[in-house]
Amino acid sequence: QACASPCRCPPQALQCPAGTSHVLDACGCCKVCARQLGELCSLQKPCDHHKGLYCDFSKIHRGSGICLAHEGATCDLLGKIYHNGESFQPTCKLQCICMDGAIGCIPLCSDDLRLPSPECPSPRRVKFHNKCCEEWICKEGSEENHFEMAMAVFREDPAHKPELSNLQENCLVQTTEWSACSKSCGMGISARVTNNNPQCRLEKETRLCMVRPCDFPMEKTKKGKKCVRTPKPRQSLRFEFSGCTSTRSYRAKFCGSCTDGRCCTPYVTSTVEVEFRCPEGDFFQRKMMFIKMCSCHYDCPRDNDIFLATYHRRMIGDHV
């Protein structure tokens, strides 16, 4: 199919299944839903290269191929083996993919939290029989209870009751510490819960994090010392995320190692907006953790254990 000039793309927004990348077609014009493992592909319908897939034209003729994965390690989840590049749903609430021995998942259900507010004084989540995900409902109660519940997260101000347009001004901001990074090496995710938003609602917030690169050389410990100092690379580096690269380089600190069997993880951190550029030419910004101080402890995380992990250590971070 010849490429049109100028580009003519569908006016409606692109709707792709959960966990599916938006990639440019062969003309470099329009975003399309990337084809997944085992699906038919072509130049106009490319495979999801973020997941290590490529279009194999050797098995099917007439300009069509099939999406295959580059050779990589399989994944074992609860006794079931998944191939590299394979997508699967272990439960109706998770969409997962095997990527060279590591399992990554995204939630299919909303994981937000709600505090009482004037328009929803008694929120609670309800499981419906024919639906996988719980849904919020606003339980009705007496008018007196309505105001008492709604005021729980607002500063006391006897002069006037909080109006919907004035929620942010009267909101008592509550923010948890950042959770531990989801990966002990390489790029991971850290999360916290905050109601610092115009609706004064508790919502989950995420940031990228890297405790150390996976090829990070551990420094030798001096005699009599139990902890290795937080190393800082001599050269700056660019971060990579989902096939995209940070537009500028950083001299970031990483956590070293502990000599007495303990784990070395971030203790004091800050959050910075990092801009990424993708091969397709797109730009996007993500919050990312930058390490200021590390500490040794015995509460060690377990790698690649997304369902059974008991690692709940928190990091002291900024509240910006």
Side-chain angles (χ1 to χ4, degrees), residues 12 93 121 124 158 190 267 308 312 316:
Q12 63 270 23
K93 295 184 178 182
R124 64 188 183 97
S190 175
Y267 180 62
L308 305 175
H312 298 297
I316 299 175

Side-chain angles (χ1 to χ4, degrees), residues 22 46 57 72 89 123 128 134 136 150 161 178 192 194 220 227 230 245 248 250 253 262 300:
H22 295 184
F57 292 99
Q89 279 189 249
F128 292 98
E134 294 88 0
W136 284 107
K161 297 180 182 179
W178 288 101
R192 69 179 179 182
T194 181
K220 292 182 179 180
C227 298
T230 304
T245 307
R248 56 161 290 194
Y250 297 86
K253 290 182 179 180
R262 293 183 295 172
C300 301

